[in-house]
Amino acid sequence: MGAELVDLVTGLDFWGWWILGVVLAAIEILAPGMVFLWLGTSAIVVGLVLAAFPGMDWRMQWFLFAVLSVASVIAARGWLRRHPLVSDHPTLNRRGEAMIGRVLVLSDPIQGGRGRVRIGDSTWGVEGPDLPAGTRVRIAAANGAVLRIEAAPEG
């Protein structure tokens, strides 16, 4: 197995780099995070350079791949920091944040600053001041699956 791996690493031609690039970009679908996309793009660029300069040493190919990968990931993260993606449903996959501001009635008391509350057909952990069952509360914040609540004004 060791010899095959060495041959694979040292013997990539431009087609191999392009295939690696497509595979890495496809992994982005399974593990989204905007990293594999840039690794795949870097591999495709190395394939293009290798097609233009077919005698390039394998060490230089991997060095170029490493430099392009790091540079593209850093550049993409910087660009996304300055130009965040805008969504028409920003809390789509963050149910707790989508409930902020919602007023409900405690079905169980909050004791020791912690408790549970029923919302629809599910039960959520809550943090807040000790309050008896039946108190109207407002969801003030969400930290994962734990909701921070406060007493809601009557009315």
Side-chain angles (χ1 to χ4, degrees):
M1 166 117 184
E4 293 90 9
L5 183 59
V6 170
D7 289 342
L8 178 66
V9 168
T10 61
L12 281 177
D13 61 359
F14 66 93
W15 282 107
W17 281 105
W18 291 347
I19 291 168
L20 178 62
V22 169
V23 168
L24 288 169
I27 290 173
E28 184 70 34
I29 296 169
L30 302 173
M34 295 290 288
V35 173
F36 286 103
L37 175 65
W38 302 114
L39 298 179
T41 302
S42 298
I44 290 170
V45 169
V46 171
L48 290 170
V49 171
L50 189 58
F53 303 100
M56 183 185 291
D57 184 59
W58 68 270
R59 290 173 196 86
M60 185 55 136
Q61 294 173 38
W62 283 99
F63 177 75
L64 182 60
F65 174 69
V67 169
L68 289 172
S69 295
V70 170
S72 63
V73 169
I74 290 171
R77 292 199 181 221
W79 190 85
L80 285 172
R81 196 173 306 116
R82 289 185 308 277
H83 304 91
L85 300 175
V86 179
S87 171
D88 57 342
H89 298 291
T91 60
L92 178 64
N93 291 321
R94 299 187 305 252
R95 286 184 57 207
E97 289 180 30
M99 290 189 244
I100 292 175
R102 188 169 172 188
V103 176
L104 50 105
V105 176
L106 286 177
S107 55
D108 298 323
I110 310 264
Q111 297 174 335
R114 294 190 173 261
R116 299 199 63 77
V117 66
R118 178 168 283 292
I119 301 174
D121 63 350
S122 61
T123 305
W124 288 72
V126 293
E127 294 178 342
D130 289 354
L131 297 168
T135 304
R136 287 174 42 96
V137 294
R138 186 179 72 81
I139 300 171
N143 184 11
V146 178
L147 304 173
R148 176 88 178 126
I149 61 164
E150 56 191 26
E154 292 296 323

